[in-house]
Amino acid sequence: MSSTLELDPTPATAPAARRGRWIDDWRPEDPEFWQRTGRRVAHRNLFFSVLAEHLGFNVWILWSMVVVSLNPAGFDFSADQLFWLISLPNLVGSALRIPYTFAVPRFGGRAWTTISASLLLIPCLLLIVAVQDTSTPYWFFLLAAATAGLGGGNFSSSMANISFFFPEGKKGFALGLNAAGGNIGVAVTQLLVPLVISIGGGVHLAYAGMMWMPFVILAGVCAWFFMDSLTVAKTDRRSYVTALSNKHTWVMSFLYIGTFGSFIGYSFALPLLIKSNFPELVNIPLLVKLGFLAFAGALIGSVTRPLGGWLSDRLGGGRVTLLTFAGMAIGAVGVLVGLDTHSFPVFLGSFLWLFVMSGVGNGSTYRMIPAIFGAQARARALEEGRDPDSVVPVAKRHSAAVIGIAGAIGAFGGFLINQVFRISHVNLGTIAPALWAFLAVYLVSIGVTWWFYLRRRVLVARVPSLAHAQV
């Protein structure tokens, strides 16, 4: 989720010394300032931001791997209970995304990165306590899983903070690197946790919490000693209010549920889905130690996200998004075929295709938002006889607000996906109805994308400049 915060247009003329690593003079758009000191400071903050955000995703996704080993470890939980344990981190993480964004100007990037990274110790500790005794009540497991959502909020504050440090021409790459560094944390957790908890034979679930604690402490310490805060950052609440009244905010939020919601929802659910639908795989020790290869989905979905932005720059975000949903519909059909034939290669391969498409869609929908709101602002300026270039700063703030809202709603989509899987599996005995529902959503998304952004009547008659905006 991008920031809805802006830089003060009248920066200080000279640095003012302040305690706490606050920077009062920050002018990234000034080439001389950027070459002399800005680039070095910005890249240092980016490095430690990626570290903290990566750990946020590590902890956020942690319960997706823990649940598949709870029953083998002696805990007697039903399928319904297990699905709730992977759903709650999604719900809490999505709810925290917007307040985490506003925490950066309130506390400063350095302090808030230290705080948000250190808070990750809570879900790690609660996980360790929960799995120590098979008589631990289920409500305590729910509490421990819910606190893992703290890691989901880290994405927003990290993206907001880093957006302040880079000039416009370099911001896209920096934010893309920051986002990719976080998303890959999902794959890292799903690869390493099954290996670590099996060290020494048996199942040692406490290791799943212990393994991240030294790195969490390291991230907090590094943020405190090596990161900075910028005084020129301020909250733009007005853009949020304006964005909420624009229909395109809700259209793009719906589309982002289909892309990022699918990515994070499938990431949480896939290990449990594989184990519940292909129970015979537990007899293959190598597959168990590799987490049933579930990590491959999150990995491929993370690395294809930049591809979506690159393709959108060349083909238009609307076209890429429409093709993405068409590809996701094909992937959903493939998973249904894998279920029907009980073919694990088809099942997993189709899910990997879904992850590829969701990654591309994440990039293309993010590309669409600034194009849409920029085109709207320019069209309005032309109608009012103003210079279209004069509305660029306002359009950027509105776009950032929409990205923030869509990011939170998209993450909530992951919770919805997990709940649809839960209802389908528990009440109907199969996840096939859930996949039919997702297929229907992808088909509706194709229609929504075409109706709002690709019809020629919309492009030419309603918002003329959209025709040249590569929406």
Side-chain angles (χ1 to χ4, degrees):
M1 182 172 73
S2 183
S3 167
T4 62
L5 311 170
E6 58 178 328
L7 294 179
D8 191 322
T10 56
T13 56
R18 281 218 287 161
R19 297 177 60 186
R21 298 184 67 95
W22 282 88
I23 298 176
D24 292 310
D25 181 23
W26 188 252
R27 292 168 282 121
E29 301 296 342
D30 180 342
E32 182 181 352
F33 175 87
W34 178 253
Q35 290 297 326
R36 176 167 40 88
T37 184
R39 181 173 59 180
R40 173 177 53 83
V41 173
H43 282 92
R44 185 182 71 240
N45 279 270
L46 174 62
F47 177 83
F48 291 109
S49 176
V50 170
L51 173 62
E53 188 197 344
H54 181 86
L55 286 166
F57 273 85
N58 288 148
V59 174
W60 193 21
I61 201 73
L62 193 53
W63 281 87
S64 73
M65 301 311 301
V66 171
V67 294
V68 298
S69 298
L70 282 175
N71 288 346
F75 295 92
D76 187 19
F77 292 144
S78 66
D80 184 70
Q81 290 174 316
L82 294 177
F83 271 105
W84 271 109
L85 290 177
I86 63 172
S87 296
L88 279 181
N90 251 319
L91 179 62
V92 175
S94 63
L96 289 177
R97 284 196 158 196
I98 289 179
Y100 263 54
T101 300
F102 288 106
V104 172
R106 175 66 178 85
F107 300 99
R110 166 182 174 257
W112 185 248
T113 304
T114 302
I115 293 169
S116 60
S118 300
L119 286 174
L120 298 177
L121 290 173
I122 296 174
C124 292
L125 288 169
L126 290 182
L127 169 60
I128 293 169
V129 173
V131 300
Q132 289 297 321
D133 191 339
T134 55
S135 65
T136 301
Y138 180 65
W139 68 261
F140 191 87
F141 276 88
L142 289 175
L143 174 64
T147 61
L150 291 167
N154 279 17
F155 178 80
S156 300
S157 56
S158 179
M159 294 290 278
N161 184 43
I162 290 305
S163 70
F164 304 144
F165 281 93
F166 286 82
E168 286 298 326
K170 301 181 184 297
K171 189 175 294 186
F173 175 78
L175 291 177
L177 184 61
N178 198 51
N183 288 352
I184 290 175
V186 176
V188 170
T189 290
Q190 292 184 331
L191 173 62
L192 295 184
V193 166
L195 295 172
V196 171
I197 65 177
S198 63
I199 292 176
V203 179
H204 309 282
L205 288 177
Y207 293 175
M210 293 178 183
M211 64 184 290
W212 303 114
M213 293 176 69
F215 299 103
V216 167
I217 294 172
L218 175 65
V221 170
C222 288
W224 184 254
F225 285 103
F226 301 115
M227 292 187 71
D228 306 285
S229 299
L230 301 177
T231 61
V232 291
K234 61 182 180 180
T235 304
D236 185 17
R237 292 184 176 87
R238 182 180 300 176
S239 290
Y240 256 102
V241 175
T242 302
L244 290 172
S245 64
N246 192 306
K247 69 177 181 181
H248 292 288
T249 299
W250 303 106
V251 173
M252 292 307 303
S253 294
F254 172 76
L255 297 180
Y256 200 56
I257 287 176
T259 57
F260 183 76
S262 295
F263 169 79
I264 198 65
Y266 293 152
S267 294
F268 271 94
L270 187 56
L272 186 57
L273 295 178
I274 292 174
K275 185 178 180 182
S276 60
N277 287 281
F278 299 91
E280 67 275 12
L281 296 181
V282 298
N283 298 317
I284 306 177
L286 180 60
L287 269 182
V288 174
K289 287 188 176 183
L290 292 177
F292 305 109
L293 303 178
F295 72 91
L299 177 61
I300 199 169
S302 299
V303 299
T304 55
R305 181 168 184 154
L307 177 61
W310 182 82
L311 288 173
S312 298
D313 287 337
R314 287 151 180 79
L315 304 176
R319 295 187 184 93
V320 174
T321 298
L322 187 145
L323 292 174
T324 291
F325 283 121
M328 295 180 77
I330 294 172
V333 172
V335 176
L336 285 166
V337 172
L339 278 175
D340 187 57
T341 60
H342 198 72
S343 170
F344 177 64
V346 174
F347 181 88
L348 180 61
S350 297
F351 258 115
L352 293 182
W353 176 251
L354 280 168
F355 276 105
V356 170
M357 291 291 99
S358 68
V360 173
N362 287 339
S364 64
T365 48
Y366 256 43
R367 173 64 180 84
M368 287 175 69
I369 291 172
I372 292 166
F373 284 84
Q376 273 195 330
R378 289 191 296 274
R380 192 176 302 113
L382 287 172
E383 290 173 0
E384 297 172 356
R386 293 182 292 149
D387 180 4
D389 292 337
S390 66
V391 299
V392 171
V394 175
K396 287 182 178 179
R397 292 197 296 271
H398 289 175
S399 298
V402 176
I403 289 174
I405 295 168
I409 294 175
F412 180 70
F415 168 77
L416 294 178
I417 284 177
N418 293 158
Q419 285 299 295
V420 172
F421 274 133
R422 179 186 68 83
I423 293 169
S424 180
H425 178 77
V426 172
N427 297 323
L428 303 175
T430 173
I431 63 169
L435 289 160
W436 281 111
F438 301 149
L439 173 60
V441 171
Y442 298 146
L443 293 176
V444 169
S445 298
I446 291 173
V448 169
T449 304
W450 175 81
W451 180 267
F452 283 99
Y453 304 118
L454 294 176
R455 285 188 305 149
R456 181 168 180 79
R457 181 179 300 176
V458 172
L459 294 179
V460 177
R462 295 187 181 180
V463 189
S465 58
L466 278 175
H468 309 287
Q470 283 295 292
V471 174

